[in-house]
Amino acid sequence: MFDPKIPLFIRGFSCFHILLPIVLIWTLYRLGYDRRAWLWQTLATAVVLPLSYLFSNPRENVNWVYGFGEKPQIIMPGPLFVIV
């Protein structure tokens, strides 16, 4: 976002993070929240994260299943980190 080599117009797309929470809160207010969503979101996460760990490249770190950020974590074994 702060790289002057990238055009300002393209860097401006990063500003959607400012508007997105406002839109999400308004949407919840307007449409409500389905209480069944918690169950389905949890089940989807329980499937997607282990699959990301098994089939992705550690250098890409899809869904941060190897650690937070770019470097893999070394505090605990990888599968335990995914479960926690």
Side-chain angles (χ1 to χ4, degrees), residues 36-56:
R36 297 171 294 180
W38 175 253
L39 172 66
W40 291 106
Q41 290 169 355
T42 304
L43 291 174
T45 301
V47 171
V48 168
L49 289 183
L51 289 176
S52 295
Y53 181 79
L54 292 173
F55 296 111
S56 68

